[in-house]
Amino acid sequence: MDFVTLGMFIIDEIHYQPPRKPDLDVMGGAGLYAALGARLFRPPPSASRIGWVIHEGHDFPLHIKSTIDTWKTSCEFIQTPERETTRARNTYGSPGFRDFEYLNEKINLDENSLTLTQLTSKTYHLICSPHRCRNIINGILTRRKSAVEIETDPEIKHLLTQAPVFIWEPVPASCKPSELRDCLDVLPLVDVFSPNLEELCGFLGTKFDLNQPTGWAALRQKSDELLQHILSPRSPTAVIRLGEKGCYVAQPGQQHFRLPAYYAPEAPDAGMHSRLDEKRESADRVVDPTGGGNAFLGGFAIGLEHSEPSSMREAAAYGSVAASFMIEQIGAPTLGLSPSGGETWNGVSVQSRLEEYNKKFAGI
């Protein structure tokens, strides 16, 4: 298994300002988008190396399950017929306004939600508070150790003894100054710490204006300070997700770097007319940013595994391309086939888009 996410699957209803009608029974949740972000780069038969978990209530829509089945991932459906599937309401109002609320009780995932096969994963994506992050990591490592002692299959036994990569995405509710100490304490357990900009600001109790050069300088300074405060010889890489501004990667002892989003409003060497054309194209293609950050981390994980030696630059490129597919529509992108029989998502080859992205931003 290459990648397993412990993010939840949610069925969304999306409400807009009148007179637009709401979209109902929309696939959503961090687990969906993270799994798809990884799945983009793993066509069959490798698709089965992407793992995730869904609590399937008695109301689970058949058309959604049929769509998920076409992706050929290792999705574990846990039957919960006594309840409804986790549902949420997203409300969009004036530009920039979004409200989110759960409509019923949610069920969090942890190490006990994983199958034995998922327990052999190379990489885990966690989206939770610092406290739950520590508990889940310790739980996964404990279960792997226990499984080694009783496992008879040599291949599975070997996989269980390998150190997995942990990618931690903090939940927004835990991103506040009072949780910073807990955040710093858990960071030595993870390999990649990836808040978005708002979440990082929440932990630090500050704001960065990235429309100003001083904002970028402050982000670099605070990223350095954050990693230096970790009281352990093992520090993670901080990957700050910046939405339309791309991502900022801070590695201990390494040069920090920033990569633009795929739908960046301008290329580094573009002239004025091409910049305006690209900005218009981005505005036309970006429909809903929901799930872009989660998908980024799914793609990032596969890019990290793919590169030899592990390259944060290549991983971030994979993540940026994965995010681009998630934000082109409401919900999940559409899987299809090209005339030559290769996979497409939203009618586009993922590999072609990755090559285009790397060419466009090769100098960064």
Side-chain angles (χ1 to χ4, degrees), residues 180-181 183-184 187 193 200 203-206 208 216-232 235-236 238 240 248 250-253 256:
L180 179 58
R181 185 68 260 169
C183 171
L184 294 173
L187 288 184
F193 169 54
L200 178 66
F203 276 127
L204 300 177
T206 188
F208 304 104
W216 289 102
L219 177 59
R220 178 184 178 84
Q221 178 186 349
K222 289 297 184 180
S223 299
D224 277 335
E225 291 176 2
L226 184 73
L227 297 178
Q228 289 168 3
H229 275 85
I230 300 172
L231 302 178
S232 169
S235 295
I240 315 303
Y248 183 83
Q251 285 180 270
H256 297 199

Side-chain angles (χ1 to χ4, degrees), residues 163-174:
V165 171
F166 289 105
I167 297 176
W168 175 40
E169 178 182 351
V171 289
S174 69

Side-chain angles (χ1 to χ4, degrees), residues 281-302:
E281 179 189 6
S282 296
D284 290 341
R285 295 297 300 275
V286 176
V287 174
D288 181 6
T290 302
N294 311 126
F296 175 96
L297 292 176
F300 185 96
I302 301 303

